[in-house]
Amino acid sequence: MTQMQDEGLVPTRTIDLQAGRRAFLRSAGLMAAGAATIGLTGLPEQAEAQELDDATILNFALNLEYLEAEFYLIAAFGRRLLDGDTTGNGRLGGVLGGRKVPFKSALVRSYAEEIARDEQAHVRFLRKALGDAKVARPGINLATSFTAAARAAGLVGAKETFDAFANENNFLLAAFIFEDVGVTAYKGAARFIQNKDFLEAAAGLLAVEAYHAGEIRTLLASRGLFAQANAISDARDSLDGTTDLDMGIGSEKSVNIVPTDANGLAFSRTPQQVLNIVYLGSGASEASFFPRKLNGNIA
C-alpha cells in the first residue's frame, strides 16, 4: 500500500492531461462555459450595463473570501465564521458540509491555521471597508461541490465521492481549486479599481493570496501529487474559453510553483471566468460552491 493510499487519498491512476483539456465541461453533466457571454470588458452581461464602481468590485471579492474563509476555518479549526461576520445586503445563506481535517503533519496543520486566520481577516477587512454596502455571505456548498469538481477532473469515478476533509492530501487538493483563482481574480480586477487606497489594499490582498497559493503548490509538489494537481488545473482551464492560461505544478523533473506568463507576470481572470469556476459551469447549480449564486451586482 502506498503512502497516499494509506492516507485515504483517491486512488492514483494515469491521467491523460492533454486529452482531458475539456473534460471538466464534458463530465458530471456540467454545462458548457459560455465564452460568448464574456463582453469586451470581460464582465458578466448584467454588470456591463451598470457602473462598475469600487463597491461592486470589493463585494465580488468579499464573496470569494467568504468561500475561502469558511473552507479553511472548518478544515483547520472545525468552526465557521462568526454570525457577526456574515450579515449584509442580499440573501444570507448557510454553509453545507465540512469538518476539521485530521492532520498528521504539524507543518501542514500550521499552514492551514495560518491561512484560515488570514482569510477570516480578509473577510473582516472587506466588510469594514464596504460599510453599509457590504453583501451578506451567500449560501456555500462544501460537500457535493468537491465531488463534482473531482469527478470532472478525473480524480474519482462517476459514482465515487471526494471528501475534501478526509485527510491532508485531499485537503491540499481541495485548497488548490481555490488558491490560484483568488490570485488571478484580484489581478484581473485591479484595473477597474478607482480609489487608490482600495487599489493598494487589493494589492495587499493579492500578495497574501499569492503566498497562500505558493504554499499549497509547494506542499502538493513535495508530496508528489503532480498528476492530481495538474488534472485540477486542466479542469479549471477548461472554463476559461479557448485560451490556455492555467498552469499545474509541473513534474518531479521540473516543478512549476509560480505560474507566470512570458514576462514573468501572474495572469488575470475576468469576473465571468471566475464565476464559471466557482459555479462549476456557466451558471449556479446545486453542485456549485455557490448554489444560489453570489450576492451583489456580479453574480
Side-chain angles (χ1 to χ4, degrees):
M1 180 177 294
T2 66
Q3 179 183 1
M4 290 188 295
Q5 290 172 328
D6 183 61
E7 291 185 0
L9 182 71
V10 293
T12 303
R13 56 179 173 274
T14 301
I15 300 173
D16 186 347
L17 299 182
Q18 293 301 320
R21 177 60 63 184
R22 303 301 167 194
F24 199 37
L25 300 182
R26 293 195 300 267
S27 303
L30 300 182
M31 298 174 63
T37 66
I38 302 175
L40 295 178
T41 64
L43 297 170
E45 290 176 341
Q46 71 266 29
E48 290 183 313
Q50 303 171 3
E51 179 183 359
L52 188 65
D53 57 18
D54 289 350
T56 295
I57 297 170
L58 295 184
N59 269 319
F60 180 61
L62 178 57
N63 279 278
L64 302 179
E65 295 291 354
Y66 280 137
L67 174 61
E68 290 192 310
E70 294 289 8
F71 170 71
Y72 283 110
L73 285 171
I74 294 171
F77 301 114
R79 66 174 178 84
R80 294 181 168 85
L81 286 169
L82 300 177
D83 290 344
D85 292 331
T86 64
T87 58
N89 300 313
R91 181 178 179 177
L92 174 62
V95 180
L96 176 65
R99 66 187 187 281
K100 188 174 181 180
V101 174
F103 293 104
K104 294 182 179 180
S105 165
L107 180 62
V108 176
R109 182 182 66 250
S110 180
Y111 277 21
E113 292 174 350
E114 179 184 38
I115 295 175
R117 288 189 290 266
D118 289 342
E119 299 300 352
Q120 178 177 259
H122 290 174
V123 167
R124 291 174 174 173
F125 170 77
L126 287 170
R127 286 171 56 84
K128 182 177 180 180
L130 284 159
D132 291 340
K134 63 182 177 293
V135 296
R137 180 194 63 202
I140 292 174
N141 174 14
L142 297 178
T144 58
S145 55
F146 285 114
T147 290
R151 288 176 180 174
L155 298 184
V156 297
K159 295 183 179 181
E160 295 177 299
T161 60
F162 179 83
D163 185 349
F165 304 89
N167 54 66
E168 291 175 348
N169 286 346
N170 283 17
F171 161 75
L172 292 171
L173 290 168
F176 183 56
I177 296 174
F178 301 140
E179 286 303 338
D180 286 5
V181 178
V183 175
T184 55
Y186 277 115
K187 170 70 161 39
R191 60 187 292 213
F192 299 110
I193 298 176
Q194 300 298 315
N195 183 294
K196 291 184 178 180
D197 290 333
F198 287 162
L199 180 59
E200 181 181 14
L205 290 167
L206 186 156
V208 174
E209 296 295 343
Y211 281 127
H212 293 169
E215 288 177 335
I216 298 301
R217 294 172 74 95
T218 299
L219 287 170
L220 287 169
S222 71
R223 291 174 173 237
L225 298 174
F226 294 99
Q228 294 90 338
N230 292 342
I232 291 172
S233 171
D234 202 50
R236 285 193 310 238
D237 203 35
S238 67
L239 297 177
D240 288 338
T242 58
T243 57
D244 187 0
L245 296 175
D246 208 292
M247 296 182 189
I249 62 173
S251 65
E252 291 182 359
K253 294 182 179 179
S254 179
V255 297
N256 184 37
I257 301 302
V258 184
T260 62
D261 63 15
N263 295 314
L265 304 177
F267 64 90
S268 302
R269 278 192 172 95
T270 67
Q272 185 65 60
Q273 289 172 316
V274 173
L275 289 175
N276 285 349
I277 293 174
V278 297
Y279 288 165
L280 300 178
S282 60
S285 69
E286 291 299 323
S288 302
F289 289 103
F290 296 99
R292 300 291 181 268
K293 298 184 177 182
L294 279 66
N295 282 325
N297 293 333
I298 301 178

